[in-house]
Amino acid sequence: MLTLALPRRSDWPFLALVVACGVGGQALAHTPLAGRWGLGALALALLVGLVVVQPLPAPWRQRARPAVALFKGPVLKTAIVLYGLRIPLDAVAQLGPAVWVLDAAQILVSLLLAGWLGPRLFGMPRHAALLIGAGNGICGAAAVLAAEPVLRGRDRDGAMAVAAVVVFGTLNMLLLPVLFRHWPTLFGDPAAFALFTGATVQEVAQVLVAAQAMSPALVDTALLVKMARVMMLAPALMLLAVAVRGGPDAGEAGPKLPVPPFALWFVLAMVVNGLGLIPDALRPALAGVDDLLLTLAMAGLGLSTHLGLLRQAGWRPLALGALLWASILAVAGTALAAGWVT
C-alpha cells in the first residue's frame, strides 16, 4: 500500500526554501532579460536552486534531502500526470512508429556501449557501467534506481551513475535551447527539434525545461517522445535481467519489473482529456496548478544538484557518461538529418 508521509516540522524551513526558489524563478521569468534570452520559469527556478545550494554546508544539504525529495518525487510526478490533461490524444498517434523505433534504438545503443566500453576502456565493473547506460538511455536517475536491483550493484555504483547522468542531463538541458535559438532549422523545421529533445535529454523534468525554453509550442511533442522512452523502462529492465543471467547471483529471485506508475497515470490523463471529460471552465485552473507544481519541482531539482557530485563521481563514470551522451545525440541527430524520423 502506498502511504504519503507528512513533512516533519524540521523539514519546514527547507520546504520554504524550495518554494522561495520556485517563486524567485517565476519572478525572474517576467524580467526583460529573461524574455530576451528565452528563459522560462522552469529553467530559472532550476537555476536559482543551483545557485542557492552551492554555498550551503553539507549538513544542511543532508537535512534538506527529505524536503527536496518531496518536490523531485511526488510533486514532479503529479505535475507530469496533470500535464497529460493538456495534451491532445491524437498527438500520440501522430508520433508514428519511427519515433518508437528511434527511442528503442537510443536505449539499446546506450546499454550496449555502456556494457562494452565501461569494462574495456575505463576498467569499470560491468554492472556499474550498465547503470550509467540505463540512466542515459531511458529516464535518468529513475532508471538508475530501477536498474540497481536487477544488476545487483552497490549503493556507491548507483550514486556514481546518478551523478554522471545528472551532469550530462543538465548540460543537455541547457545547451539544446541555445542551439535551437541559433539554428532552429538544424533538423529541417523547429518541430523536429522537439523530437530530438525528447529522444536525447535524460530526465523527464529536463525535457520540460529544455522544450519550454525553446518554445512552449514544442513541449507537447518533446514530452510525448520522452514518455515513450519512459514506457520502455520495463522491457529494458527485462533485457538487463537476461544480460546478467548466469552471474554469481543468478539463482536469486528477480525483482518486479513494472512500468513506472506515473507513466501509466500520464497515459490515463491523456485518455481523459481525449474523451472530453475535463470541463473547459476548469482547464485554466488545472493548467495554473500544473505550472506551479512544475516550477516547484524544478527548484527542488536545482537544490539537489551540488557540484560536489563531480568530485564524488571521479573521472571514469563521467567519461563514460560523456561518451554515452554523445552517442545518443549522434544517433538521434543522424536519424533526423537523414529523414528517417519525421
Side-chain angles (χ1 to χ4, degrees):
M1 180 181 296
L2 180 64
T3 59
L4 180 62
L6 295 176
R8 300 168 299 178
R9 186 180 296 272
S10 60
D11 295 331
W12 291 0
F14 301 105
L15 293 172
L17 179 62
V18 177
V19 172
C21 291
V23 172
Q26 287 188 322
L28 289 173
H30 293 92
T31 62
L33 186 61
R36 194 177 308 125
W37 288 357
L39 292 173
L42 298 185
L44 287 168
L46 185 141
L47 290 174
V48 169
L50 275 171
V51 171
V52 168
V53 77
Q54 302 311 318
L56 288 183
W60 288 22
R61 297 198 305 270
Q62 183 70 25
R63 289 172 55 195
R65 282 186 179 180
V68 171
L70 174 66
F71 288 95
K72 287 175 55 184
V75 170
L76 174 59
K77 292 173 182 177
T78 300
I80 292 170
V81 171
L82 286 176
Y83 199 91
L85 297 175
R86 304 160 69 173
I87 298 178
L89 191 59
D90 58 0
V92 179
Q94 293 173 6
L95 286 180
V99 171
W100 292 88
V101 171
L102 174 61
D103 280 344
Q106 294 286 65
I107 294 170
L108 281 174
V109 167
S110 186
L111 291 175
L112 291 174
L113 282 180
W116 187 73
L117 291 176
R120 289 169 175 78
L121 191 59
F122 300 111
M124 295 175 60
R126 186 162 172 257
H127 62 265
L130 286 172
L131 284 175
I132 298 175
N136 179 76
I138 310 172
C139 53
V144 173
L145 296 176
E148 272 187 305
V150 177
L151 297 171
R152 303 180 179 90
R154 299 172 298 177
D155 290 343
R156 183 178 179 276
D157 296 328
M160 297 305 99
V162 168
V165 170
V166 166
V167 166
F168 294 104
T170 301
L171 284 174
N172 219 7
M173 175 192 70
L174 296 175
L175 292 177
L176 287 186
V178 175
L179 183 62
F180 176 81
R181 289 181 67 81
H182 287 88
W183 204 352
T185 58
L186 176 62
F187 302 112
D189 63 79
F193 234 109
L195 293 176
F196 185 75
T197 301
T200 59
V201 178
Q202 283 81 345
E203 298 271 0
V204 176
Q206 293 164 345
V207 170
L208 284 167
V209 173
Q212 190 193 62
M214 295 174 192
S215 169
L218 301 180
V219 174
D220 290 4
T221 300
L223 185 59
L224 281 170
V225 175
K226 177 61 185 177
M227 292 306 292
R229 286 168 69 194
V230 174
M231 292 174 195
M232 293 180 182
L233 178 59
L237 292 178
M238 293 175 187
L239 180 64
L240 286 175
V242 172
V244 300
R245 184 179 300 166
D249 300 321
E252 298 180 9
K256 296 180 180 179
L257 304 174
V259 175
F262 83 93
L264 299 178
W265 284 108
F266 176 83
V267 173
L268 179 61
M270 287 194 299
V271 172
V272 169
N273 183 50
L275 295 176
L277 300 179
I278 305 298
D280 291 338
L282 190 58
R283 290 183 182 277
L286 287 173
V289 171
D290 190 35
D291 287 339
L292 175 61
L293 294 180
L294 286 170
T295 303
L296 294 176
M298 293 308 102
L301 184 62
L303 285 167
S304 68
T305 307
H306 192 267
L307 295 181
L309 286 172
L310 294 174
R311 293 191 297 270
Q312 295 173 12
W315 72 270
R316 287 181 176 83
L318 293 177
L320 178 60
L323 287 177
L324 297 181
W325 174 44
S327 71
I328 64 171
L329 290 176
V331 170
T334 300
L336 287 167
W340 299 337
V341 181
T342 56

